Amino acid sequence: MKTFEYNILSFPMTRKTGLADMQTCLNEKGADGWEVVSISTSEFANIGHTVFLKRETTPAGATA
């Protein structure tokens, strides 16, 4: 059975280079095996973008 671990990242809207920084960060996470599963965007209180990621975990004792 596949198992996953999850990560949540926040990107505030107040940064001038926010989208470029977001892309760089997500590309780095992708290189580490993370996959974006959802993005939530909110303009309320300058929250910005919240990104939800997952990646498959390796079972204990398994070799790649």
Side-chain angles (χ1 to χ4, degrees):
M1 180 168 122
K2 290 184 178 183
T3 58
F4 299 91
E5 62 181 325
Y6 299 90
N7 197 348
I8 300 171
L9 303 175
S10 294
F11 298 94
M13 291 178 56
T14 56
R15 294 166 48 181
K16 292 181 181 178
T17 58
L19 292 178
D21 290 346
M22 184 175 168
Q23 182 178 13
T24 298
C25 181
L26 292 176
N27 282 333
E28 290 171 358
K29 290 292 187 180
D32 289 336
W34 291 98
E35 175 183 1
V36 173
V37 293
S38 180
I39 298 176
S40 175
T41 303
S42 175
E43 295 180 14
F44 179 73
N46 288 330
I47 293 171
H49 307 286
T50 302
V51 181
F52 301 88
L53 304 104
K54 76 172 185 178
R55 72 176 170 187
E56 191 171 346
T57 57
T58 304
T63 57

